[in-house]
Amino acid sequence: GDSVTQMEGPVTLSEEAFLTINCTYTATGYPSLFWYVQYPGEGLQLLLKATKADDKGSNKGFEATYRKETTSFHLEKGSVQVSDSAVYFCALDTGANSKLTFGKGITLSVRP
Amino acid sequence: DAGVIQSPRHEVTEMGQEVTLRCKPISGHDYLFWYRQTMMRGLELLIYFNNNVPIDDSGMPEDRFSAKMPNASFSTLKIQPSEPRDSAVYFCASRKTGNTEAFFGQGTRLTVV
């Protein structure tokens, strides 16, 4: 079945550090890929997405490139801020049944 | 639009009591999802509906859990009887066919003591 694997957390970084959060997937067909973010006390919200191979999703300084050859969708940001502290979820949707499959999520803490 | 609205935001109940969680999806969205989030298991899909019809309830943990969607603007998730291991944050989400983004409510934090 479809699955998403995220790197183990938590991750703690200093402000302005470079961020990479790894995500790999297993799916039939050609899924759409997503990163969702959950700020403390809130629900998940879409951060960025990519719908086909080699697409790059970007938002708020975050980027992720859909790599079909490595079945990956790693999230990167060049300079993190304290306000980026949150839980980040990688997800996929094959479109076959319209449900999103989420990874376990990873907690990012950015210290001043 | 006000987004996906869940109620209550917090619920504390005693073991054995019935608990009902409520969700109002975004108008025009034809898919509705119920998720449960815990530290141990992360985010789990419990059940989802399409046009008010349950499509997949394989994630519902036990018969104590049930969900209904009587109309396009309202859904409930009921736990009867509740147990301490049901303590979690329960999220409702909705999306529209053809639009790949799912919108989440703010969640209901359930504590069963």
Side-chain angles (χ1 to χ4, degrees):
Chain A
D2 300 338
S3 67
V4 175
T5 302
Q6 293 185 231
M7 59 186 281
E8 294 287 326
V11 173
T12 301
L13 296 173
S14 297
E15 204 165 25
E16 299 184 1
F18 183 84
L19 169 72
T20 298
I21 300 177
N22 290 342
C23 171
T24 57
Y25 67 90
T26 302
T28 54
Y30 303 95
S32 295
L33 301 174
F34 307 83
W35 278 99
Y36 278 79
V37 59
Q38 183 182 27
Y39 297 106
E42 299 184 10
L44 283 71
Q45 56 186 273
L46 181 66
L47 179 60
L48 54 84
K49 67 181 182 184
T51 57
K52 62 182 186 295
D54 300 324
D55 270 2
K56 178 186 285 187
S58 61
N59 186 25
K60 299 181 181 179
F62 290 89
E63 293 184 339
T65 300
Y66 189 141
R67 301 285 188 200
K68 190 172 186 297
E69 63 276 13
T70 55
T71 62
S72 65
F73 193 55
H74 304 322
L75 182 68
E76 295 182 337
K77 186 174 186 181
S79 176
V80 294
Q81 305 301 311
V82 172
S83 58
D84 294 326
S85 298
V87 182
Y88 292 82
F89 293 88
C90 186
L92 69 81
D93 172 18
T94 61
N97 51 23
S98 287
K99 71 176 184 180
L100 285 167
T101 299
F102 285 91
K104 288 187 178 297
I106 185 170
T107 299
L108 170 66
S109 297
V110 180
R111 52 175 183 249
Chain B
D1 200 316
V4 176
I5 299 173
Q6 291 187 247
S7 64
R9 289 294 309 277
H10 302 275
E11 176 80 37
V12 180
T13 190
E14 291 185 345
M15 183 174 62
Q17 295 298 304
E18 177 181 296
V19 175
T20 299
L21 311 181
R22 297 172 175 78
C23 175
K24 176 178 168 49
I26 292 174
S27 177
H29 284 194
D30 52 345
Y31 283 90
L32 184 140
F33 306 83
W34 282 101
Y35 289 90
R36 177 172 69 176
Q37 185 179 34
T38 62
M39 290 292 291
M40 291 298 295
R41 294 186 296 272
L43 197 63
E44 304 171 277
L45 176 64
L46 301 178
I47 184 172
Y48 76 99
F49 297 82
N50 178 223
N51 291 322
N52 314 337
V53 176
I55 303 301
D56 184 354
D57 64 355
S58 59
M60 297 285 261
E62 300 171 34
D63 291 345
R64 299 184 295 106
F65 286 70
S66 62
K68 294 182 180 180
M69 192 165 185
N71 57 62
S73 58
F74 184 65
S75 177
T76 59
L77 178 68
K78 185 177 294 186
I79 308 173
Q80 166 63 20
S82 58
E83 297 182 4
R85 59 195 170 111
D86 301 331
S87 298
V89 181
Y90 291 81
F91 287 103
C92 177
S94 70
R95 72 192 299 200
K96 187 175 180 181
T97 297
N99 184 332
T100 54
E101 180 177 357
F103 293 82
F104 282 75
Q106 290 193 295
T108 295
R109 180 174 295 278
L110 173 65
T111 303
V112 183
V113 298

